[in-house]
Amino acid sequence: MKKDIQIPEVTGVEMAVVYEFNDIYNTNDWNIYIINNKNVDLEMMVIVSQGFSDTKTTSLLRKKLEKLPANSFAKIEFIQPELFKLNNRFQVTFFEGNTLYEKTFIFKENTIKEGALRMIDEIKKRGILAN
C-alpha cells in the first residue's frame, strides 16, 4: 500500500530567511518567508519547523495557511539568532489542486549570517534561500 502513494517533486516553492527592519521595535529582525513562484494558488499549507543538532532539539512550531496565492509570499515566523547555530528544518505540505505535495527545507547550522545575504527578487529584501 505504501508503494502506491506517490508524492510528486515540489518545484516553484522556496523558503527564505530575511533580515529586515522592524518599524514597531526599531530593530533589525530575522523572519522566515514562504515563496510561491507558481502560477497557481497553493491551499491548506502546513509548515512544521524545528531546530536541531547532535545534542539539542527545539520544540516543534506549526503554522497553517489556508491559501498562498499564485506568485506571492507570506511571512511565517520570527527566528531568533540563537537558533542559527542549529540546523533549522521547515517541513512544508500543501495541496495544488487535488494533489498533495511535501518538501523539507533546511538552513544548515551557521549559514544564516549577514555576510550571506543577497537580494531576493520576489520579496524585494535581502535574505538567504534554504536548500
Side-chain angles (χ1 to χ4, degrees):
M1 294 269 266
K2 272 181 136 176
K3 65 178 175 29
D4 296 328
I5 299 173
Q6 294 182 349
I7 299 176
E9 181 182 349
V10 173
T11 59
V13 177
E14 297 180 281
M15 185 74 63
V17 60
V18 174
Y19 193 56
E20 59 190 337
F21 187 72
N22 182 324
D23 293 326
I24 296 170
Y25 298 108
N26 290 324
T27 59
N28 287 310
D29 293 339
W30 294 90
N31 293 296
I32 303 295
Y33 282 81
I34 186 85
I35 304 168
N36 178 8
N37 286 322
K38 294 175 172 277
N39 292 322
V40 296
D41 297 345
L42 307 179
E43 298 176 336
M44 296 292 294
M45 181 174 281
V46 176
I47 301 164
V48 179
S49 61
Q50 184 174 44
F52 66 95
S53 70
D54 292 336
T55 58
K56 291 185 179 184
T57 302
T58 66
S59 57
L60 287 173
L61 292 177
R62 293 174 182 86
K63 174 81 173 185
K64 179 183 172 195
L65 299 174
E66 287 293 329
K67 182 189 222 179
L68 185 60
N71 299 303
S72 70
F73 58 88
K75 187 187 295 187
I76 301 302
E77 65 188 39
F78 165 79
I79 185 167
Q80 297 174 338
E82 297 81 40
L83 297 175
F84 298 168
K85 61 186 174 191
L86 302 175
N87 294 300
N88 289 279
R89 175 177 47 224
F90 295 85
Q91 295 171 294
V92 179
T93 56
F94 60 89
F95 281 95
E96 181 182 327
N98 291 326
T99 305
L100 176 68
Y101 289 83
E102 177 181 46
K103 184 167 183 174
T104 299
F105 297 93
I106 295 181
F107 292 98
K108 293 189 178 180
E109 61 186 61
N110 300 314
T111 59
I112 302 173
K113 52 190 166 195
E114 286 188 55
L117 295 173
R118 66 173 186 83
M119 185 56 73
I120 299 175
D121 294 333
E122 297 88 349
I123 302 174
K124 298 194 180 6
K125 295 184 181 181
R126 295 181 318 136
I128 302 163
L129 293 173
N131 294 332

